[in-house]
Amino acid sequence: MSEFKFNGKTVYYEVHGERGTPLLLLNGIMMSVNSWKPFVKTFSQNNRLILVDFFDQGRSARMDCAYAQNVQADLTAALLDVLALDKVCVMGISYGGEVALRFALEYPQRVERLILANTAARTSAWLRDIGHCWNAAAATGDGRLYYLTTIPVIYSTEFYESHAEWMKAREKTLVPYFSQPDVLSALVRLTDSAENYDVTARLGEISCPTLIISAQSDIITPITEQNLLHACIKDSKHVIINDSGHASMYEQPAVFAALVLGFANQAETRYEI
Amino acid sequence: MSEFKFNGKTVYYEVHGERGTPLLLLNGIMMSVNSWKPFVKTFSQNNRLILVDFFDQGRSARMDCAYAQNVQADLTAALLDVLALDKVCVMGISYGGEVALRFALEYPQRVERLILANTAARTSAWLRDIGHCWNAAAATGDGRLYYLTTIPVIYSTEFYESHAEWMKAREKTLVPYFSQPDVLSALVRLTDSAENYDVTARLGEISCPTLIISAQSDIITPITEQNLLHACIKDSKHVIINDSGHASMYEQPAVFAALVLGFANQAETRYEI
Amino acid sequence: MSEFKFNGKTVYYEVHGERGTPLLLLNGIMMSVNSWKPFVKTFSQNNRLILVDFFDQGRSARMDCAYAQNVQADLTAALLDVLALDKVCVMGISYGGEVALRFALEYPQRVERLILANTAARTSAWLRDIGHCWNAAAATGDGRLYYLTTIPVIYSTEFYESHAEWMKAREKTLVPYFSQPDVLSALVRLTDSAENYDVTARLGEISCPTLIISAQSDIITPITEQNLLHACIKDSKHVIINDSGHASMYEQPAVFAALVLGFANQAETRYEI
Amino acid sequence: MSEFKFNGKTVYYEVHGERGTPLLLLNGIMMSVNSWKPFVKTFSQNNRLILVDFFDQGRSARMDCAYAQNVQADLTAALLDVLALDKVCVMGISYGGEVALRFALEYPQRVERLILANTAARTSAWLRDIGHCWNAAAATGDGRLYYLTTIPVIYSTEFYESHAEWMKAREKTLVPYFSQPDVLSALVRLTDSAENYDVTARLGEISCPTLIISAQSDIITPITEQNLLHACIKDSKHVIINDSGHASMYEQPAVFAALVLGFANQAETRYEI
């Protein structure tokens, strides 16, 4: 349980494991350090695993006004300073992938390798309206309505069928959670901070080895978005996880973990073929 | 402008064109006879085009209580009686595809050929929660919230980009429309009528030539659902429209029209290859 | 049974049907007018169907030396002159799609609508080596070897399973056919004529309504090639036939016919959506 | 440089690295221990890497008559005995994936985890004819013809474009290699040994954690074949490598290595989600 101050506000983080390439995981919008609990053992076995709550997430500080998403990238850089780490391997999923891209653009010398799971280069007009939908639902203060607008689109039809009990438990936990005004206002601010996100024009600047992970049934950030990333990031590879929606780490944890561990830990990513 | 009574309630329909194979188009949930206006010329040129509003749609009667979706299939059969048509070629999209499947199962001798666009064999647990979301949004009475929960997921990211003006015009029209309590309550009943829809086990009974149309970026009824239809309907063909979401007729009208016209009007669907 | 002379050599063609939009079908490399026999009824019912053998195909003249593929486009223009047709709807498959593209570029005013089935914009380095393989097999004079190098890659695994008898009959017919030296030398010349085919840079010139048809399991001209066509041809639509290899007209005749008939015959291809 | 005798014949193998989960790689048909040279560093860093030449491959014995493919699985079991290893993680690609499946069925207690890259459950009628093609080409004794029938279909169009020099170098090496009668006869026997391969009916017996790797542009073993594997192997995950043909390890070495390393080395493959 560790924290530090950034811009005068608390940032919560955890470090697990003591050896190996440092591996930093950046959360999706509704996630927190706790979301990675099932993966801590796997990711810390041969790596120094670093988890962090962005502002308005988990145990980090709530903000009191709108902010630019880039503050989360700056917070990430500050965390590396605290840990005295020059360079890390960064994996970001969804909102965390957006911050990972901003981080790689602002602090290129600090990214060893980059893994972008279920990530887009921009908040498209379509995704912006999805954000408007979420925030309009939040404005009603109705936790169940917020659950219904945000959660189903994150999972695939297949996962819903095969994890019916799990989804019901999720609903039971999340509806009361989303009924808390401060939780909803934090989520609204997080969503707003991505409203004008668009790094498309700068993707050519990214030069570190990059792995782009798509999920076959991802609604929120469909494969077409990752095709764009792949076309614009020079040293990028692209892989597609089958039977998975947007929350690929939960729908296909073993494949997700394999890709992250394997890409982060292979001796080098260029082969003399 | 024609109507007849079914179960004591008004059914509105239109017939365009006087010759050729009768072609019946069944509406998606938020559609009406008017939605086909841009297609009337094309579809009535060599066909007798039949359009109809289901109960709770367009100019047909509003219902006053919950009902089973099958009533819409019975209404369809009654329409053919009124028109003194034994057999027609039926195209259904989304909710209309569900009714088309029910119709083909209940009145198999009345379907010459069947075209299922953006259709599933069942309301999956996932789609059921999407329906719950729509109805929870309707319960707030907020037209803009209903718009934001229902419309974006119907279109693809690509269409949103390329038809930005059109989408804005759509929002301007639909938000006030969705702000009318009777419109919302009709949509809620339509959604409820599909809540327990599942004809999977009976797909083997369908024996007429069937064309299954998927759209590459369909969120509401993803390709996996049409794969299931294709696997279970004996004499079925499967085609995928690129660059299109769930509202394939609007996103790719020329391809949609080509498939419907071409499949309905070819001399026969079996070839001596 | 009709023919005319072009460049002093015989061109064989057939016209079926008397009314409707003229529809010209251009053959794949190993095809001839006869290959369309199962489709004549369907395609001539509401269209004036025009079939033609390119030089070195079917009943048209054999050539005695290498030639540029463009001669086939010129031959096509000469045929329209003979028929006194200003404009036609052109469908080309594979080699025929290449000629269709050349024809649309050289004689843009003569193409009403363009349908490109299983077509690429260029003979890629990969496809060039496939051509070298076919010609090296032809050089052995062994009809069975030529059959085995050319035919399996044209069909999908699924079709092979479901049409085992048909494939065996095909082998029985084609092995003796491919054992004739003049047949092989004609096929070698046809293949050579496409060796340097590349119209990629000129695709932007094509302005007529264009339908691009891919087949999900097409080995010879995979979907990536049609993605390129679609990205570069302004007014193009893209559709993918499921359960089909390169010979889409034989693997999925009803879908193939629907697309061609529907796209050629709809009143217009632009809709006021 | 190590070898042992199996059935009285020499088997060549190599072991690299001394610690970590033993990782056994099984070759595709035209591969040998040498093919893995670019991967030895990566795969032996945290694993005991085991490479082996099947009979009729590399430095293992040439056979003098036809044999069942299962002998290669028995040879694999014998190798584990020689190394005194009870259980290993097995990765097989193509022919090596077939042997891996046979091995997992015959010696289930010896497979810790199974990785099947570009593998099918059966030699389909289509693949059988591809094999006939290769063997008919071999029968001519013409190394260039054998090269042209076997190599291009193994790579994707994209790889051919981006690795033009590499492909030319490959041709320069392989044409003389394929011109050696004993090489061709060994390849013919290997191909024949897979002629009647079909383990579809037994896939339900496989219970170890299994990762199925497809390549988007794989001609020889298309994704439909891996869909079948995935549907029938209980504890299987499925992932698709983009921009890759059949030789996925050469076309996308970093993604291939990531998947193998990550799946073999994660603490467990079941997560408490």
Side-chain angles (χ1 to χ4, degrees), chain D residues 68-107:
Chain D
Q69 190 182 30
N70 227 36
V71 75
Q72 315 282 24
D74 297 336
L75 168 163
T76 302
L79 171 60
L80 296 203
D81 291 342
V82 166
L83 297 172
L85 288 168
D86 277 345
K87 264 191 151 173
V88 295
C89 180
V90 181
M91 192 299 301
I93 184 164
S94 194
Y95 185 94
E98 300 176 4
V99 176
L101 274 168
R102 289 183 182 276
F103 182 69
L105 288 168
E106 296 309 315
Y107 307 91

Short mmCIF file of all heavy atoms in Angstrom, two decimals, chain D residues 68-107:
data_model
loop_
_atom_site.label_atom_id
_atom_site.label_comp_id
_atom_site.label_asym_id
_atom_site.label_seq_id
_atom_site.Cartn_x
_atom_site.Cartn_y
_atom_site.Cartn_z
N ALA D 68 3.42 -44.63 -41.04
CA ALA D 68 2.31 -43.86 -40.48
C ALA D 68 2.87 -42.66 -39.72
O ALA D 68 3.92 -42.76 -39.09
CB ALA D 68 1.50 -44.74 -39.55
N GLN D 69 2.13 -41.55 -39.76
CA GLN D 69 2.60 -40.33 -39.09
C GLN D 69 2.80 -40.55 -37.59
O GLN D 69 3.60 -39.87 -36.96
CB GLN D 69 1.56 -39.22 -39.32
CG GLN D 69 2.00 -37.83 -38.89
CD GLN D 69 0.90 -36.82 -39.11
OE1 GLN D 69 -0.28 -37.15 -39.03
NE2 GLN D 69 1.26 -35.58 -39.42
N ASN D 70 2.10 -41.54 -37.04
CA ASN D 70 2.18 -41.76 -35.61
C ASN D 70 3.58 -42.13 -35.13
O ASN D 70 3.92 -41.93 -33.97
CB ASN D 70 1.19 -42.85 -35.18
CG ASN D 70 0.41 -42.41 -33.96
OD1 ASN D 70 0.08 -41.22 -33.83
ND2 ASN D 70 0.14 -43.33 -33.04
N VAL D 71 4.40 -42.62 -36.06
CA VAL D 71 5.77 -42.95 -35.66
C VAL D 71 6.50 -41.71 -35.14
O VAL D 71 7.34 -41.80 -34.26
CB VAL D 71 6.54 -43.62 -36.84
CG1 VAL D 71 6.92 -42.60 -37.90
CG2 VAL D 71 7.78 -44.34 -36.32
N GLN D 72 6.12 -40.56 -35.67
CA GLN D 72 6.77 -39.31 -35.23
C GLN D 72 6.34 -38.98 -33.79
O GLN D 72 7.12 -38.42 -33.02
CB GLN D 72 6.41 -38.14 -36.16
CG GLN D 72 6.50 -38.46 -37.67
CD GLN D 72 7.91 -38.46 -38.23
OE1 GLN D 72 8.89 -38.66 -37.50
NE2 GLN D 72 8.02 -38.26 -39.55
N ALA D 73 5.10 -39.34 -33.44
CA ALA D 73 4.65 -39.11 -32.07
C ALA D 73 5.37 -40.08 -31.12
O ALA D 73 5.77 -39.69 -30.00
CB ALA D 73 3.14 -39.29 -31.97
N ASP D 74 5.57 -41.31 -31.57
CA ASP D 74 6.28 -42.29 -30.75
C ASP D 74 7.75 -41.87 -30.57
O ASP D 74 8.31 -41.99 -29.48
CB ASP D 74 6.21 -43.67 -31.39
CG ASP D 74 4.76 -44.19 -31.46
OD1 ASP D 74 3.93 -43.72 -30.64
OD2 ASP D 74 4.46 -45.02 -32.33
N LEU D 75 8.34 -41.39 -31.64
CA LEU D 75 9.70 -40.87 -31.60
C LEU D 75 9.79 -39.74 -30.56
O LEU D 75 10.75 -39.65 -29.80
CB LEU D 75 10.06 -40.38 -33.00
CG LEU D 75 11.26 -39.54 -33.34
CD1 LEU D 75 11.51 -39.63 -34.86
CD2 LEU D 75 11.13 -38.08 -32.94
N THR D 76 8.75 -38.90 -30.52
CA THR D 76 8.73 -37.78 -29.56
C THR D 76 8.70 -38.29 -28.12
O THR D 76 9.41 -37.79 -27.25
CB THR D 76 7.50 -36.88 -29.85
OG1 THR D 76 7.58 -36.42 -31.20
CG2 THR D 76 7.44 -35.69 -28.91
N ALA D 77 7.88 -39.33 -27.89
CA ALA D 77 7.82 -39.92 -26.55
C ALA D 77 9.17 -40.52 -26.16
O ALA D 77 9.64 -40.38 -25.03
CB ALA D 77 6.72 -40.98 -26.51
N ALA D 78 9.80 -41.15 -27.13
CA ALA D 78 11.12 -41.75 -26.87
C ALA D 78 12.13 -40.67 -26.51
O ALA D 78 12.99 -40.86 -25.63
CB ALA D 78 11.58 -42.54 -28.11
N LEU D 79 12.04 -39.53 -27.16
CA LEU D 79 12.94 -38.42 -26.85
C LEU D 79 12.77 -37.97 -25.39
O LEU D 79 13.74 -37.73 -24.68
CB LEU D 79 12.68 -37.26 -27.81
CG LEU D 79 13.39 -35.93 -27.49
CD1 LEU D 79 14.90 -36.10 -27.49
CD2 LEU D 79 12.97 -34.85 -28.48
N LEU D 80 11.51 -37.87 -24.94
CA LEU D 80 11.28 -37.46 -23.55
C LEU D 80 11.87 -38.49 -22.59
O LEU D 80 12.42 -38.13 -21.53
CB LEU D 80 9.78 -37.27 -23.27
CG LEU D 80 9.07 -36.16 -24.01
CD1 LEU D 80 7.81 -35.74 -23.27
CD2 LEU D 80 9.96 -34.95 -24.25
N ASP D 81 11.80 -39.78 -22.97
CA ASP D 81 12.42 -40.82 -22.14
C ASP D 81 13.93 -40.59 -22.05
O ASP D 81 14.51 -40.63 -20.97
CB ASP D 81 12.14 -42.21 -22.72
CG ASP D 81 10.67 -42.60 -22.59
OD1 ASP D 81 9.97 -41.97 -21.76
OD2 ASP D 81 10.23 -43.50 -23.31
N VAL D 82 14.53 -40.35 -23.19
CA VAL D 82 15.98 -40.11 -23.24
C VAL D 82 16.35 -38.93 -22.34
O VAL D 82 17.36 -38.96 -21.64
CB VAL D 82 16.42 -39.83 -24.69
CG1 VAL D 82 17.83 -39.24 -24.73
CG2 VAL D 82 16.34 -41.12 -25.53
N LEU D 83 15.51 -37.90 -22.34
CA LEU D 83 15.78 -36.70 -21.54
C LEU D 83 15.29 -36.85 -20.10
O LEU D 83 15.44 -35.93 -19.30
CB LEU D 83 15.13 -35.48 -22.18
CG LEU D 83 15.65 -35.11 -23.58
CD1 LEU D 83 14.79 -34.00 -24.19
CD2 LEU D 83 17.11 -34.67 -23.51
N ALA D 84 14.65 -37.99 -19.82
CA ALA D 84 14.10 -38.25 -18.48
C ALA D 84 13.12 -37.16 -18.05
O ALA D 84 13.13 -36.68 -16.92
CB ALA D 84 15.23 -38.40 -17.45
N LEU D 85 12.30 -36.75 -18.99
CA LEU D 85 11.27 -35.74 -18.71
C LEU D 85 9.89 -36.38 -18.71
O LEU D 85 9.51 -37.05 -19.66
CB LEU D 85 11.30 -34.64 -19.77
CG LEU D 85 12.49 -33.68 -19.73
CD1 LEU D 85 12.54 -32.85 -21.00
CD2 LEU D 85 12.42 -32.80 -18.50
N ASP D 86 9.17 -36.18 -17.62
CA ASP D 86 7.82 -36.74 -17.56
C ASP D 86 6.86 -35.96 -18.45
O ASP D 86 6.07 -36.52 -19.19
CB ASP D 86 7.29 -36.66 -16.12
CG ASP D 86 7.79 -37.83 -15.29
OD1 ASP D 86 8.29 -38.80 -15.91
OD2 ASP D 86 7.71 -37.75 -14.07
N LYS D 87 6.96 -34.65 -18.31
CA LYS D 87 5.96 -33.76 -18.92
C LYS D 87 6.63 -32.56 -19.53
O LYS D 87 7.57 -32.01 -18.96
CB LYS D 87 5.02 -33.24 -17.81
CG LYS D 87 3.75 -34.01 -17.66
CD LYS D 87 2.80 -33.26 -16.74
CE LYS D 87 1.37 -33.59 -17.11
NZ LYS D 87 0.38 -33.04 -16.20
N VAL D 88 6.13 -32.12 -20.64
CA VAL D 88 6.67 -30.90 -21.25
C VAL D 88 5.52 -30.06 -21.80
O VAL D 88 4.39 -30.53 -21.95
CB VAL D 88 7.64 -31.22 -22.42
CG1 VAL D 88 8.88 -31.92 -21.92
CG2 VAL D 88 6.91 -32.05 -23.48
N CYS D 89 5.84 -28.83 -22.09
CA CYS D 89 4.93 -27.99 -22.85
C CYS D 89 5.28 -28.20 -24.31
O CYS D 89 6.44 -28.09 -24.70
CB CYS D 89 5.13 -26.53 -22.42
SG CYS D 89 4.03 -25.42 -23.30
N VAL D 90 4.28 -28.54 -25.12
CA VAL D 90 4.52 -28.88 -26.53
C VAL D 90 3.93 -27.83 -27.46
O VAL D 90 2.76 -27.50 -27.36
CB VAL D 90 3.88 -30.24 -26.89
CG1 VAL D 90 4.16 -30.60 -28.35
CG2 VAL D 90 4.36 -31.33 -25.96
N MET D 91 4.76 -27.29 -28.35
CA MET D 91 4.28 -26.42 -29.42
C MET D 91 4.54 -27.11 -30.75
O MET D 91 5.67 -27.50 -31.03
CB MET D 91 5.04 -25.09 -29.38
CG MET D 91 4.47 -23.98 -30.25
SD MET D 91 4.38 -24.25 -32.06
CE MET D 91 6.11 -24.52 -32.42
N GLY D 92 3.50 -27.30 -31.54
CA GLY D 92 3.69 -27.86 -32.87
C GLY D 92 3.12 -26.92 -33.91
O GLY D 92 2.06 -26.33 -33.70
N ILE D 93 3.82 -26.79 -35.02
CA ILE D 93 3.33 -25.95 -36.11
C ILE D 93 3.09 -26.81 -37.35
O ILE D 93 3.93 -27.62 -37.72
CB ILE D 93 4.30 -24.76 -36.40
CG1 ILE D 93 3.69 -23.85 -37.48
CG2 ILE D 93 5.68 -25.22 -36.77
CD1 ILE D 93 4.34 -22.47 -37.57
N SER D 94 1.91 -26.69 -37.94
CA SER D 94 1.54 -27.40 -39.17
C SER D 94 1.69 -28.92 -38.99
O SER D 94 1.07 -29.48 -38.09
CB SER D 94 2.38 -26.86 -40.33
OG SER D 94 1.85 -27.28 -41.55
N TYR D 95 2.57 -29.57 -39.77
CA TYR D 95 2.81 -31.00 -39.58
C TYR D 95 3.18 -31.28 -38.13
O TYR D 95 2.73 -32.28 -37.54
CB TYR D 95 3.94 -31.43 -40.52
CG TYR D 95 4.24 -32.92 -40.55
CD1 TYR D 95 3.66 -33.75 -41.50
CD2 TYR D 95 5.15 -33.48 -39.65
CE1 TYR D 95 3.96 -35.11 -41.55
CE2 TYR D 95 5.45 -34.85 -39.68
CZ TYR D 95 4.85 -35.66 -40.64
OH TYR D 95 5.15 -37.00 -40.68
N GLY D 96 3.96 -30.39 -37.54
CA GLY D 96 4.35 -30.55 -36.14
C GLY D 96 3.15 -30.42 -35.20
O GLY D 96 3.12 -31.04 -34.13
N GLY D 97 2.16 -29.64 -35.59
CA GLY D 97 0.93 -29.54 -34.80
C GLY D 97 0.12 -30.82 -34.89
O GLY D 97 -0.53 -31.24 -33.92
N GLU D 98 0.16 -31.45 -36.07
CA GLU D 98 -0.53 -32.73 -36.23
C GLU D 98 0.11 -33.78 -35.32
O GLU D 98 -0.59 -34.52 -34.62
CB GLU D 98 -0.47 -33.18 -37.70
CG GLU D 98 -1.12 -32.18 -38.65
CD GLU D 98 -0.98 -32.57 -40.11
OE1 GLU D 98 -0.44 -33.66 -40.41
OE2 GLU D 98 -1.42 -31.78 -40.98
N VAL D 99 1.43 -33.82 -35.34
CA VAL D 99 2.14 -34.77 -34.48
C VAL D 99 1.88 -34.43 -33.00
O VAL D 99 1.68 -35.31 -32.17
CB VAL D 99 3.65 -34.79 -34.78
CG1 VAL D 99 4.38 -35.72 -33.82
CG2 VAL D 99 3.89 -35.22 -36.23
N ALA D 100 1.83 -33.13 -32.70
CA ALA D 100 1.55 -32.71 -31.32
C ALA D 100 0.18 -33.23 -30.87
O ALA D 100 0.02 -33.69 -29.74
CB ALA D 100 1.60 -31.18 -31.21
N LEU D 101 -0.80 -33.15 -31.75
CA LEU D 101 -2.14 -33.65 -31.41
C LEU D 101 -2.12 -35.16 -31.22
O LEU D 101 -2.70 -35.70 -30.28
CB LEU D 101 -3.14 -33.26 -32.50
CG LEU D 101 -3.75 -31.86 -32.33
CD1 LEU D 101 -4.50 -31.43 -33.59
CD2 LEU D 101 -4.71 -31.85 -31.14
N ARG D 102 -1.44 -35.86 -32.12
CA ARG D 102 -1.32 -37.32 -31.97
C ARG D 102 -0.61 -37.66 -30.65
O ARG D 102 -1.01 -38.58 -29.93
CB ARG D 102 -0.53 -37.92 -33.13
CG ARG D 102 -1.28 -37.92 -34.47
CD ARG D 102 -0.41 -38.60 -35.53
NE ARG D 102 -1.02 -38.62 -36.85
CZ ARG D 102 -1.89 -39.52 -37.29
NH1 ARG D 102 -2.29 -40.50 -36.48
NH2 ARG D 102 -2.37 -39.48 -38.52
N PHE D 103 0.45 -36.90 -30.36
CA PHE D 103 1.21 -37.12 -29.13
C PHE D 103 0.33 -36.88 -27.90
O PHE D 103 0.33 -37.68 -26.96
CB PHE D 103 2.43 -36.19 -29.12
CG PHE D 103 3.32 -36.35 -27.92
CD1 PHE D 103 4.09 -37.50 -27.75
CD2 PHE D 103 3.41 -35.34 -26.96
CE1 PHE D 103 4.91 -37.65 -26.65
CE2 PHE D 103 4.23 -35.49 -25.85
CZ PHE D 103 4.99 -36.65 -25.70
N ALA D 104 -0.46 -35.81 -27.94
CA ALA D 104 -1.33 -35.48 -26.80
C ALA D 104 -2.41 -36.55 -26.62
O ALA D 104 -2.89 -36.79 -25.51
CB ALA D 104 -1.97 -34.11 -26.99
N LEU D 105 -2.81 -37.19 -27.72
CA LEU D 105 -3.82 -38.25 -27.65
C LEU D 105 -3.22 -39.56 -27.17
O LEU D 105 -3.83 -40.28 -26.38
CB LEU D 105 -4.50 -38.42 -29.01
CG LEU D 105 -5.44 -37.28 -29.40
CD1 LEU D 105 -5.83 -37.37 -30.88
CD2 LEU D 105 -6.69 -37.28 -28.52
N GLU D 106 -2.00 -39.87 -27.63
CA GLU D 106 -1.38 -41.15 -27.27
C GLU D 106 -0.69 -41.09 -25.91
O GLU D 106 -0.59 -42.11 -25.22
CB GLU D 106 -0.37 -41.58 -28.35
CG GLU D 106 -1.00 -41.86 -29.71
CD GLU D 106 -2.19 -42.80 -29.64
OE1 GLU D 106 -2.08 -43.83 -28.93
OE2 GLU D 106 -3.24 -42.49 -30.25
N TYR D 107 -0.16 -39.93 -25.58
CA TYR D 107 0.60 -39.79 -24.33
C TYR D 107 0.10 -38.60 -23.54
O TYR D 107 0.85 -37.66 -23.25
CB TYR D 107 2.09 -39.62 -24.65
CG TYR D 107 2.66 -40.69 -25.56
CD1 TYR D 107 2.66 -40.53 -26.94
CD2 TYR D 107 3.20 -41.87 -25.03
CE1 TYR D 107 3.16 -41.51 -27.78
CE2 TYR D 107 3.71 -42.86 -25.86
CZ TYR D 107 3.69 -42.68 -27.23
OH TYR D 107 4.20 -43.65 -28.04
#
